[in-house]
Amino acid sequence: MTRSGRLRARRAATGSVREGTARAGLVARGVIYLLVGALALRIAFGDGGRPADRSGALEEISTKPFGAVLMWALGAGLVGMALWRLSEALFGAAGRDGRTARTRLLSAVRCVFYACVAYSVLSFAAGAGGTTSSDQQSQDVTARALEWPAGQWIVGMAGVGAVVVGVWIAVGAVLRKYREQLKLGEMSRQVRRAVDTTGVAGGVARGLVFATAGAFAVRAAVDYEPDRAKGLDDTLRSFSETPLGPWLLACVAAGLVLFGVFSCAMARWGRV
């Protein structure tokens, strides 16, 4: 085989590995959102036994047949997600703006996030103990940050950033920006319609959760009270305290389930 032939073969193999890790990561993300959404639905209808966050999802998996195997598979998929985002940060992502500095930076942030999530899932699978709830983690991080010089400003700006990200996610979903990352030509009209339903509803719900959690962080900074910061579980439960009651929580929870389905659809038809 010539040198150019070997180079092409190596690129093809590397591309296949990258695609495989990306698709496995998207499925793993989808499973987590499906479980969190299902737990939040149970809370909305009066069953608040497990927290509606990653720790609750892992506890739910651990009670199922072959739960340990499923957790290891989930952790491996999240490692794949982190590696995919790392490759995007280093070499660029798919799409028109895939090689811009903004896209690479966003991929680097996502890489760190999914690496941390993968570590917590694999630690749980290895029997290192249960994961700390998202609410406790948020309060602990906020308390430490408030003790730093200009801590209130840092926490406040982080909260504002989360609100902006949430609005960006929701608006992008309504405008169907995700279509730029889909192989629309391989999808039938019915499939496109179904994916749009999950993408829009799921994206809006996910954005609303991000923005609400950010608003709680801003309030914690303004009041200088770490306990006002809320993780995913308390953020979701707060929707049931609105005038719409548990129905708003049920709608958001259903949206998170739909985002889980959308993530799995991205694993099948996404450009990675």
Side-chain angles (χ1 to χ4, degrees):
M1 182 183 294
T2 64
R3 181 178 180 182
S4 61
R6 288 196 300 270
L7 183 59
R8 284 195 297 270
R10 185 180 303 168
R11 286 177 176 171
T14 302
S16 298
V17 171
R18 170 174 167 165
E19 181 175 344
T21 57
R23 298 195 190 284
L26 287 166
V27 170
R29 183 183 71 174
V31 169
I32 289 177
Y33 272 97
L34 282 167
L35 289 171
V36 169
L39 290 170
L41 278 172
R42 285 164 58 174
I43 292 171
F45 293 109
D47 180 6
R50 284 200 175 95
D53 58 11
R54 186 171 65 250
S55 65
L58 293 178
E59 290 173 9
E60 186 73 14
I61 292 174
S62 68
T63 64
K64 305 302 180 187
F66 305 105
V69 175
L70 291 173
M71 279 192 290
W72 281 108
L74 189 64
L78 291 167
V79 170
M81 189 73 153
L83 292 174
W84 172 39
R85 296 305 188 185
L86 177 61
S87 71
E88 287 186 336
L90 296 176
F91 308 113
R96 290 179 304 174
D97 302 325
R99 296 183 180 275
T100 62
R102 181 181 67 85
T103 300
R104 288 173 184 262
L105 178 60
L106 183 59
S107 293
V109 172
R110 286 170 169 168
C111 171
V112 173
F113 172 76
Y114 282 110
C116 293
V117 175
Y119 175 79
S120 69
V121 172
L122 291 173
S123 296
F124 190 95
T131 60
T132 305
S133 72
S134 60
D135 302 319
Q136 189 61 53
Q137 288 177 344
S138 296
Q139 292 169 9
D140 290 346
V141 169
T142 302
R144 286 196 296 268
L146 286 174
E147 294 175 356
W148 299 343
Q152 279 184 283
W153 285 99
I154 294 172
V155 173
M157 291 303 295
V160 170
V163 172
V164 171
V165 168
V167 172
W168 176 70
I169 290 173
V171 171
V174 171
L175 298 178
R176 301 180 184 180
K177 293 288 188 182
Y178 55 80
R179 282 191 163 196
E180 297 175 2
Q181 280 122 35
L182 286 170
K183 299 177 181 178
L184 297 175
E186 297 182 7
M187 303 162 65
S188 66
R189 181 178 300 177
Q190 292 79 6
V191 170
R192 280 200 298 267
R193 191 174 300 156
V195 170
D196 277 338
T197 299
T198 60
V200 174
V204 169
R206 185 171 175 242
L208 179 60
V209 171
F210 268 81
T212 304
F216 282 124
V218 172
R219 184 178 177 184
V222 171
D223 295 344
Y224 203 80
E225 293 184 19
D227 289 347
R228 292 195 179 277
K230 297 183 183 294
L232 179 56
D233 180 52
D234 272 353
T235 298
L236 287 170
R237 291 174 190 269
S238 71
F239 291 123
S240 64
E241 299 169 4
T242 65
L244 294 177
W247 293 108
L248 178 58
L249 173 57
C251 289
V252 174
L256 294 180
V257 170
L258 289 175
F259 184 80
V261 176
F262 172 75
S263 188
C264 293
M266 284 290 294
R268 169 62 179 85
W269 290 287
R271 301 179 186 276
V272 296

